[in-house]
Amino acid sequence: MQFSIGISKYLISVTLIFLPLSMFVSSTLTSTRSKESLLRCGQRTKNSSFYPNFVQVMESLAREIKEKHYATAYITYPPPLVYGLAQCHRDLSSSDCEVCFSASRKRAHSCLPADSALIFLDGCFLRYDNYNFFNESVNSKTDAVNCTAQFLEGDESLSQQFQLKFAEVVMDLTNQAKQNGGFAIVEGKGGISTVYALAQCWKTLSKQGCNQCLDTASDALKQCKDGSEGRAMLAGCFVRYSTERFFSSDNHSKDHHGDISKITIVIIAGVSAFTAFTCVGAFIGYKRLSKMKKGRISLGDGSRISSLNFKYEMLERATDFFDNSRKLGQGGAGSVFRGTLPDGRDVAVKKLFFNTRQWVDQFFNEVNLISGIQHKNVVRLLGCSIEGPESLLVYEYVPNRSLDQILFVKNTIHILSWQQRFNIICGTAEGLAYLHGGSGTKIIHRDIKTSNILLDEKLTPKIADFGLARCIASDKSHVSTGIAGTLGYMAPEYLVRGQLTEMTDVYAFGVLVIEIASGRKNNVFSESSTSVLHTVWRHYKTNRITQSIDPGLKSRFPENEASKVLQIGLLCTQAHVALRPSMSEVVHMLNNSYCVIPSPKQPPFLNSSAIGPADNSKGSSMSSFKSFVSATQDKNHSLLLQAFKPS
């Protein structure tokens, strides 16, 4: 708590001394215009392709709205359809428009995984949907009116005077907006009270559609005629009136002394608001740190937290606002972009958009586990940002893509030599051995595969993507978790019983080794070919194991070393945990040319249906799997057998 209070005092004192007074005024106006007027979320979607399309639409809107105060974007292929529209009210400055859009974008993320959302803030509008709504002026499913409490309640005479004033202002507003391209502000002075009003049509409407929306909105606001404030929020426009001035205008009359007084009041209010905001922020920071200490992020002292923090806006600029030309890759939880920091450093920015508790946990998990790890074969986390529309992770930039892209992408110009493959296998083994105990904490990666091995300029391998990783206490042999990972790399005891140990990573490493050496992907549901693990086992049993080596190498490899590597791969993929070596033992076997490699005792476990009808021998991997299932007596075995039986 002392840390948070100290931070708040420091922020307040520094801000009050050095921050220009104009920023207090701007901050106050912006916060007023970013107030939420209406938020409606649509139906939940289970289509996993929706999220990448949603993100692309939001990125396009963010780029375009900076220049024109409004933006449209849509994606029709690949499906599903996502259409987006954003617009700021014409009286907002460019900077206030960006702030308002950013606030509405955050609210849009709160609707995920809904396939649509409608957000009205007092200064801007944002909508996304699964159909083209750009020309809608009214929509009974989305249109809304919001009225405040009755004005001058109990005095019928004054109330009637106000109603006449209200009607006059709204009529004048509507007429001016129709003649002024869909925008108008009116100050109805005199009488019982000044009435301020604003109308704004969306740019996508035709003139006829805008006029229809304005007429419908003014009629709808009649139900608010007794209130001091009202908002009509329609599919194609926004109309608001209030007895308090809420917009920016250069056209209203000014009284010099009055302006000085107003500015003074705004400055005082701004200072008070900022002080309160900072104190609240410190309290929230304290609560957040408390949660971190209880199991989310444990980053140590304040200097450590500060060194990890990146500003969202800086990372936006570093990646050209997450431009597609800078995209390095994309997964189910988000995308990775290359960024260039102001100091010239290249970084990889992983952008996540959360719609489930699981994804939020993955973010905190990744920060918590690897923020302090420094090993040449583990990708280094430089920091994170959690304040923008999406949460961001910042990693060191690894220029040579992933191992998956080099090994398995067709027509690749780079065919890895045997020595390069051997070095990648050894480096990955050393990185995993470090994670399993060398760092002082036992970390299980849980998703070792070729796409999670990145290669630097010297083709040094670096283990990446710790979203699924878990820690195991030194006094526990395993932890039980829900099944997560990639089919083809998951060990049998984990698939069947959910038992997670370091041997889960050992199994995945064994698959990785065989893929690297053979140049073949372990396609677990391929019906056209025999499993690569089964092929290597068959060659091993007939003393022809080096025939499994990638033919692209054209026999340019040392046979003894290649044979040893494939045999280690088979050892790591044994169905029984006790038959697999630890990663430290694997490192020793790889680096010691005189080490005797134990013989695999059984075929590799195959979590696939890739065994052909002819593979019904007594020693087949499916027989081994059936024996394993029979021995473990788990209630899910019959389901697994059904899923993995030969085609």
Side-chain angles (χ1 to χ4, degrees):
M1 185 64 179
Q2 290 177 346
F3 169 73
S4 295
I5 292 174
I7 288 290
S8 65
K9 287 180 178 178
Y10 174 78
L11 286 174
I12 293 169
S13 59
V14 170
T15 303
L16 293 180
I17 294 171
F18 296 108
L19 199 65
L21 293 180
S22 60
M23 290 193 67
F24 286 119
V25 179
S26 175
S27 175
T28 305
L29 290 174
T30 300
S31 63
T32 302
R33 299 301 291 277
S34 295
K35 180 182 176 183
E36 183 182 302
S37 300
L38 179 69
L39 172 64
R40 284 186 177 170
C41 304
Q43 300 294 318
R44 292 174 62 89
T45 178
K46 295 182 180 179
N47 191 330
S48 59
S49 299
F50 167 78
Y51 304 108
N53 287 1
F54 167 83
V55 169
Q56 287 190 44
V57 166
M58 288 298 129
E59 289 172 352
S60 297
L61 294 178
R63 288 192 296 269
E64 194 174 340
I65 201 168
K66 294 176 184 294
E67 301 176 2
K68 300 189 297 185
H69 251 50
Y70 83 98
T72 59
Y74 60 90
I75 290 180
T76 58
Y77 187 85
L81 307 180
V82 180
Y83 287 81
L85 165 65
Q87 184 168 331
C88 293
H89 297 169
R90 201 186 297 179
D91 63 310
L92 255 62
S93 67
S94 296
S95 58
D96 285 351
C97 178
E98 287 187 45
V99 171
C100 194
F101 172 76
S102 179
S104 63
R105 188 175 173 183
K106 288 181 183 179
R107 288 167 171 84
H109 279 263
S110 71
C111 281
L112 292 173
D115 61 0
S116 62
L118 184 72
I119 300 112
F120 280 90
L121 303 187
D122 281 342
C124 59
F125 168 80
L126 173 63
R127 180 181 179 185
Y128 74 87
D129 217 316
N130 57 9
Y131 72 96
N132 187 346
F133 58 86
F134 294 159
N135 295 321
E136 282 186 2
S137 57
V138 294
N139 185 331
S140 58
K141 294 182 179 179
T142 61
D143 295 347
V145 177
N146 184 5
C147 308
T148 62
Q150 186 174 350
F151 184 56
L152 300 173
E153 185 176 3
D155 192 322
E156 186 175 346
S157 174
L158 292 178
S159 180
Q160 288 178 351
Q161 291 181 44
F162 179 76
Q163 290 176 21
L164 291 173
K165 184 74 174 179
F166 158 82
E168 177 187 338
V169 168
V170 172
M171 181 180 295
D172 189 20
L173 177 76
T174 304
N175 290 334
Q176 286 194 36
K178 288 179 179 180
Q179 298 170 15
N180 193 33
F183 174 78
I185 52 177
V186 170
E187 297 185 18
K189 298 183 177 180
I192 187 172
S193 172
T194 300
V195 177
Y196 303 89
L198 176 148
Q200 176 80 66
C201 285
W202 311 142
K203 289 281 190 178
T204 53
L205 290 186
S206 64
K207 183 176 182 180
Q208 181 181 358
C210 176
N211 292 347
Q212 179 190 7
C213 190
L214 292 171
D215 287 337
T216 305
S218 60
D219 286 341
L221 277 177
K222 289 178 182 178
Q223 60 187 280
C224 300
K225 61 184 179 181
D226 292 328
S228 60
E229 186 167 69
R231 296 172 177 84
M233 295 162 284
L234 276 60
C237 63
F238 175 86
V239 179
R240 177 186 178 188
Y241 81 89
S242 177
T243 55
E244 295 182 3
R245 185 170 173 275
F246 59 87
F247 47 72
S248 302
S249 171
D250 295 327
N251 300 320
H252 62 281
S253 61
K254 297 181 180 179
D255 178 89
H256 181 69
H257 299 288
D259 280 346
I260 294 175
S261 177
K262 287 179 182 177
I263 291 173
T264 304
I265 293 171
V266 169
I267 291 173
I268 294 172
V271 173
S272 301
F274 182 82
T275 304
F277 173 80
T278 307
C279 292
V280 170
F283 176 74
I284 293 172
Y286 166 71
K287 300 296 285 185
R288 176 172 286 163
L289 286 174
S290 298
K291 288 183 179 179
M292 291 174 181
K293 292 175 182 177
K294 290 178 181 177
R296 282 217 161 171
I297 304 180
S298 302
L299 301 178
D301 60 17
S303 61
R304 178 66 180 152
I305 293 170
S306 176
S307 67
L308 278 170
N309 184 47
F310 282 84
K311 289 189 176 297
Y312 183 87
E313 293 77 11
M314 184 187 75
L315 296 176
E316 268 193 321
R317 290 191 294 271
T319 57
D320 291 338
F321 297 92
F322 303 105
D323 190 83
N324 276 335
S325 64
R326 286 184 169 264
K327 184 178 288 188
L328 300 174
Q330 182 165 305
S335 306
V336 181
F337 297 82
R338 179 177 179 176
T340 304
L341 299 180
D343 61 9
R345 281 185 298 162
D346 283 337
V347 294
V349 181
K350 182 178 180 181
K351 182 168 69 164
L352 306 172
F353 42 96
F354 301 135
N355 73 304
T356 66
R357 170 66 181 271
Q358 178 187 1
W359 285 5
V360 177
D361 287 344
Q362 287 181 18
F363 172 83
F364 285 108
N365 199 45
E366 199 155 349
V367 176
N368 190 47
L369 287 180
I370 66 168
S371 59
I373 290 180
Q374 293 193 20
H375 188 275
K376 65 183 178 69
N377 298 118
V378 178
V379 70
R380 190 157 62 96
L381 178 71
L382 303 178
C384 62
S385 169
I386 58 175
E387 300 302 329
E390 303 92 11
S391 293
L392 307 175
L393 293 169
V394 184
Y395 288 97
E396 63 174 314
Y397 174 64
V398 184
N400 268 322
R401 303 174 294 167
S402 69
L403 179 59
D404 183 80
Q405 290 173 297
I406 291 182
L407 270 182
F408 303 128
V409 173
K410 291 182 179 179
N411 302 322
T412 180
I413 60 173
H414 194 133
I415 297 178
L416 296 173
S417 68
W418 172 258
Q419 189 59 50
Q420 289 170 332
R421 297 179 198 226
F422 184 73
N423 291 341
I424 290 169
I425 290 170
C426 291
T428 305
E430 290 173 14
L432 269 177
Y434 179 79
L435 293 174
H436 288 180
S439 63
T441 304
K442 187 186 293 185
I443 299 173
I444 313 301
H445 186 281
R446 218 165 39 140
D447 200 20
I448 293 295
K449 56 184 178 181
T450 52
S451 59
N452 285 338
I453 306 299
L454 306 182
L455 303 174
D456 69 8
E457 63 278 356
K458 297 180 180 178
L459 296 182
T460 301
K462 293 180 180 288
I463 300 170
D465 199 342
F466 285 76
L468 299 180
R470 291 291 182 271
C471 278
I472 296 183
S474 57
D475 59 343
K476 288 188 176 181
S477 61
H478 70 276
V479 292
S480 296
T481 72
I483 305 300
T486 305
L487 278 175
Y489 297 89
M490 289 193 283
E493 71 281 0
Y494 182 53
L495 264 174
V496 176
R497 295 195 298 267
Q499 287 189 351
L500 185 66
T501 70
E502 62 267 37
M503 290 301 165
T504 307
D505 281 350
V506 172
Y507 177 86
F509 174 78
V511 177
L512 181 79
V513 166
I514 290 175
E515 287 184 331
I516 294 172
S518 67
R520 287 178 56 195
K521 198 170 184 65
N522 189 37
N523 294 317
V524 296
F525 294 118
S526 171
E527 297 180 0
S528 60
S529 62
T530 303
S531 162
V532 63
L533 300 187
H534 189 62
T535 299
V536 175
W537 172 256
R538 195 171 63 239
H539 285 155
Y540 169 74
K541 293 299 287 183
T542 56
N543 295 318
R544 296 179 294 123
I545 195 169
T546 55
Q547 290 188 14
S548 301
I549 296 296
D550 189 348
L553 292 175
K554 299 179 180 179
S555 299
R556 292 193 293 266
F557 57 85
E559 290 198 6
N560 288 340
E561 189 173 76
S563 176
K564 179 176 74 171
V565 165
L566 288 171
Q567 197 168 325
I568 290 172
L570 290 174
L571 274 175
C572 291
T573 55
Q574 298 287 273
H576 201 289
V577 174
L579 296 177
R580 295 177 216 154
S582 67
M583 284 312 304
S584 59
E585 291 171 333
V586 169
V587 171
H588 177 71
M589 288 188 283
L590 287 169
N591 293 328
N592 189 339
S593 58
Y594 299 104
C595 181
V596 177
I597 310 299
S599 300
K601 302 297 184 185
Q602 56 184 206
F605 167 73
L606 301 179
N607 50 332
S608 74
S609 60
I611 302 172
D615 298 313
N616 294 321
S617 63
K618 185 177 180 180
S620 74
S621 295
M622 184 54 68
S623 299
S624 173
F625 178 48
K626 287 180 179 179
S627 299
F628 168 78
V629 169
S630 176
T632 53
Q633 300 296 313
D634 188 278
K635 64 181 180 180
N636 294 321
H637 297 160
S638 59
L639 294 175
L640 281 169
L641 280 173
Q642 182 67 28
F644 298 136
K645 69 182 181 181
S647 56

